[in-house]
Amino acid sequence: MNRLSIFVDGNNMFYAQQKNGWFFDPRRVLTYFQTVQPNTTLTNAFWYTGLKDPQDQRGFRDALISLGYTVRTKILKEYYDDNSGKYSQKANLDIEIVVDMFNTVEQYDKVVLFSGDGDFERAIELLRSKSTHITVVSTEGMIARELRNATDRYIDLNDIRAKIEKVDG
């Protein structure tokens, strides 16, 4: 039996989905990755997201928890860009993702990471050295070359759209 863990960089994926013009359904993501390979059992699913305030996205977070995701959050921080003269908000949860990956490493053989962030390159290399199979899901134009090269398999969101897209109804 293959043991699978899924890690979703929610903020990174929000922008990837926005770029593609469609959104994926967190429930369909779990179903797809459990059924795409026979003899696979889901051991963990984590979702990481930044919040404007503690009540932000409450309904969405509750829905994720009811689907079986462990939800990790961080309050957005505001940054000023001297070049553009604009403020932006960011909640960097990369460390939380890596900590959870290594803290649960004995519980899985395969990882699916939803992110295009090149900061994960070294963590992915270390996990692969422990015979963990790593799949990264992102989209063209938002996947760092370093991350794509470090992974066992890269899947473009658009290639699995029919299987994971959120459909109204």
Side-chain angles (χ1 to χ4, degrees), residues 21-146:
W22 62 274
F23 289 84
F24 61 75
D25 180 337
R27 179 191 316 264
R28 293 186 78 195
V29 165
L30 296 179
T31 302
Y32 175 74
F33 283 101
Q34 287 177 90
T35 58
V36 72
Q37 291 182 320
N39 301 322
T40 298
T41 183
L42 182 67
T43 57
N44 291 304
F46 294 89
W47 194 289
Y48 305 83
T49 190
L51 305 175
K52 293 176 186 149
D53 60 63
Q55 296 306 312
D56 188 26
Q57 303 178 45
R58 171 65 74 194
F60 180 63
R61 289 185 286 138
D62 288 347
L64 288 171
I65 292 166
S66 73
L67 292 173
Y69 285 91
T70 298
V71 178
R72 305 268 194 243
T73 62
K74 190 184 274 188
I75 299 296
L76 293 166
K77 292 184 180 168
E78 196 166 82
Y79 297 93
Y80 181 74
D81 182 345
D82 290 330
N83 295 329
S84 68
K86 295 181 180 175
Y87 285 94
S88 63
Q89 292 184 322
K90 187 170 179 162
N92 192 336
L93 286 131
D94 296 355
I95 292 296
E96 287 78 0
I97 295 171
V98 171
V99 166
D100 284 337
M101 284 179 157
F102 282 91
N103 197 36
T104 60
V105 71
E106 301 298 326
Q107 299 173 19
Y108 59 77
D109 313 298
K110 296 178 180 283
V111 163
V112 176
L113 171 64
F114 279 76
S115 183
D117 193 331
D119 290 343
F120 293 112
E121 176 188 19
R122 185 68 181 129
I124 296 305
E125 289 171 348
L126 289 171
L127 287 171
R128 285 185 68 204
S129 74
K130 296 177 180 294
S131 300
T132 303
H133 185 276
I134 311 288
T135 299
V136 169
V137 181
S138 188
T139 199
E140 291 304 317
M142 294 194 71
I143 175 84
R145 183 181 320 112
E146 306 83 33

Side-chain angles (χ1 to χ4, degrees), residues 144-159:
R145 183 181 320 112
E146 306 83 33
L147 182 59
R148 191 170 184 165
N149 289 340
T151 191
D152 290 301
R153 182 173 180 216
Y154 165 71
I155 298 174
D156 189 288
L157 280 167
N158 290 307
D159 293 342

